[in-house]
Amino acid sequence: MDSGHSRVPSPSQLPASFSKYHHPYFTSAEVQHLSEKQRGKLSATQEEKARQQACGFIEAVGSKIGFPRKTLATAQNLYHRFHLFFPRKDFNYHDVTLAALYVSTKMHDTLKKPREILMVSYAVRFPELAAKSKSVGGEVDMDPQTAENDRQRLLAVERLILETICFNFTSKMPFSYVIKIGRKLKASKKLIKCAWRLTIDSHRTLVPIMYPPNTVALGCLYTASLLTTLEPPPSPLVEAQLDSRVATILKEKGDWERTYMAEAEDLEEIAHVLIDLLIQAAQNPSANTSPRTPASPSPHPSPRNQHLSPVGTPQPPPIPYKADQLIRLKIMMRQNEHPLRPQQPLGSADPSELYNGNDIAMLGRNQGTVRFLFGPPGIVGQGV
């Protein structure tokens, strides 16, 4: 037993009642602290690889079912949040991703039964069995007992996910902000489309659980504007100048920060995370990460797509940027950035004080009474 588990109190030491507060967003200090705590013996690179594998699986299963983009994005957020509280080594990523997808369907009223999600996941995991299937929908013929065991594990993880969000089913997406703010900034349709797809990719990272949706949208518009400098302008020169002007405006501090309730430093951090993701994709072309990823799938797939592979998602075209181009862009950004702000977690200089042993120990247990509150300390009771 490792030292992390040895500090968990026994049931007799747990309080008779306990309040668990919902934190909609985490600071970078909290994310770093909690990620290191749950990573175990994995390196940061291995953890990132596991994260991308899980997000890709959610994308494949959800797209094959036909879930809208908001359901897939929320499922990816739930997966990231779950592993801020629970060790990766204790859970199979298939169980966590499918449970996150199931909870997300409840949050967005796109509900599917656990068995339906499991059957599609089998087709994604075992395409050779799906190819041999004689059923119309390509349903894999799995052992009933295996399917039931998987269903029970999915429901068990679902409970833990619900507790990590304190049963708060509110989910705000950045997609509508991308369009509205893009129009306000007079960005071209091409730039807004690129920012939209970068927003899709942002949910493969921890950005959406660190920043509110308006900030995420601005960060994606800023990143999309920076990426236009890497491409020769095929569009009219005036349009290219307007798109580059978006980065010029958002790079400098000004009145737009008050208007859109965001800060230039946050946009820079988001841009670095997204460009790092694109660098990974450029270095590993098989990764399903690109601002050219397919649009949100329709809940009613076209018969013209029936010829696609059993995995259910077409491979995106190659990323249009080279890794060395993106690295040079990051270097250029670092040379002109605002000074880093001191990062302080919510309400404490030490993020571990917010997530102590009792807090984690009470999750998933039946001892004592837990009050799940819909907001962080100091906010609950003020209209929350």
Side-chain angles (χ1 to χ4, degrees):
M1 180 177 292
D2 61 39
S3 58
H5 285 286
S6 63
R7 292 194 295 271
V8 176
S10 65
S12 61
Q13 296 174 309
L14 293 173
S17 63
F18 185 80
S19 293
K20 177 74 172 69
Y21 293 89
H22 174 63
H23 292 271
Y25 307 108
F26 299 89
T27 66
S28 59
E30 291 171 342
V31 166
Q32 182 179 358
H33 173 82
L34 294 171
S35 294
E36 289 176 354
K37 187 175 183 180
Q38 308 306 340
R39 185 186 304 152
K41 296 182 179 179
L42 294 178
S43 65
T45 302
Q46 290 172 322
E47 181 188 38
E48 178 62 21
K49 184 177 179 180
R51 183 181 294 128
Q52 295 309 317
Q53 185 179 28
C55 288
F57 184 65
I58 290 173
E59 190 85 31
V61 174
S63 297
K64 189 171 178 65
I65 294 175
F67 285 138
R69 175 52 54 186
K70 60 184 180 181
T71 301
L72 302 183
T74 300
Q76 290 169 332
N77 286 352
L78 292 172
Y79 170 82
H80 297 320
R81 181 180 288 270
F82 179 86
H83 279 303
L84 292 183
F85 292 91
F86 294 99
R88 292 184 180 275
K89 67 181 181 61
D90 291 350
F91 297 88
N92 184 305
Y93 82 89
H94 291 126
D95 296 333
V96 180
T97 51
L98 295 179
L101 199 53
Y102 180 48
V103 173
S104 182
T105 64
K106 293 183 176 182
M107 296 173 72
H108 293 291
D109 198 23
T110 54
L111 192 60
K112 291 285 185 182
K113 293 180 180 179
R115 186 183 180 281
E116 294 177 273
I117 297 175
L118 279 169
M119 288 299 110
V120 174
S121 75
Y122 293 144
V124 172
R125 293 171 61 188
F126 312 113
E128 66 282 357
L129 295 180
K132 298 176 183 178
S133 174
K134 296 180 181 179
S135 66
V136 177
E139 188 173 296
V140 176
D141 185 18
M142 292 295 294
D143 174 55
Q145 188 58 49
T146 300
E148 177 59 22
N149 291 341
D150 289 345
R151 191 182 75 88
Q152 292 297 332
R153 286 201 305 274
L154 186 156
L155 294 176
V157 176
E158 179 209 7
R159 171 186 170 178
L160 298 179
I161 291 176
L162 290 172
E163 293 187 9
T164 60
I165 61 173
C166 294
F167 297 86
N168 187 338
F169 276 48
T170 302
S171 179
K172 296 181 179 179
M173 297 280 99
F175 300 107
S176 60
Y177 289 97
V178 171
I179 297 174
K180 292 175 182 177
I181 296 177
R183 288 173 177 170
K184 284 282 187 181
L185 294 174
K186 295 182 171 56
S188 68
K189 289 184 179 180
K190 178 185 174 183
L191 181 69
I192 294 174
K193 186 176 182 180
C194 181
W196 174 282
R197 292 178 174 177
L198 283 170
T199 308
I200 292 174
D201 287 336
S202 73
H203 289 83
R204 288 175 171 264
T205 73
L206 300 180
V207 162
I209 63 174
M210 296 173 64
Y211 301 98
N214 57 305
T215 304
V216 175
L218 280 163
C220 292
L221 285 163
Y222 175 60
T223 307
S225 182
L226 291 173
L227 291 174
T228 60
T229 63
L230 303 181
E231 296 179 340
S235 53
L237 183 59
V238 174
E239 185 176 287
Q241 290 174 340
L242 288 175
D243 287 347
S244 62
R245 178 174 166 271
V246 171
T248 303
I249 293 173
L250 298 180
K251 182 175 66 174
E252 302 296 336
K253 300 184 73 67
D255 293 340
W256 68 265
E257 293 179 301
R258 184 171 60 255
T259 302
Y260 299 119
M261 301 180 68
E263 297 186 19
E265 294 88 345
D266 292 335
L267 306 196
E268 291 171 346
E269 290 304 312
I270 292 172
H272 278 293
V273 172
L274 293 175
I275 293 173
D276 285 339
L277 195 65
L278 295 176
I279 290 173
Q280 291 178 34
Q283 294 173 340
N284 179 18
S286 62
N288 185 17
T289 307
S290 167
R292 299 287 177 89
T293 49
S296 182
S298 166
H300 306 290
S302 169
R304 292 176 296 178
N305 296 332
Q306 294 298 320
H307 66 282
L308 296 175
S309 67
V311 173
T313 50
Q315 287 298 314
I319 184 169
Y321 313 109
K322 295 181 179 179
D324 58 342
Q325 287 181 302
L326 296 167
I327 291 171
R328 285 198 298 270
L329 178 60
K330 279 180 64 70
I331 293 172
M332 182 188 70
M333 290 169 60
R334 289 295 187 196
Q335 292 173 343
N336 301 295
E337 279 186 349
H338 297 92
L340 290 176
R341 296 170 302 181
Q343 295 291 338
Q344 292 293 332
L346 293 172
S348 170
D350 179 8
S352 63
E353 293 179 11
L354 287 171
Y355 310 99
N356 54 44
N358 288 353
D359 193 334
I360 301 300
M362 290 298 283
L363 289 174
R365 291 176 176 265
N366 292 322
Q367 293 93 356
T369 301
V370 182
R371 296 173 63 232
F372 292 99
L373 303 172
F374 280 9
I379 301 298
V380 172
Q382 300 180 13
V384 178

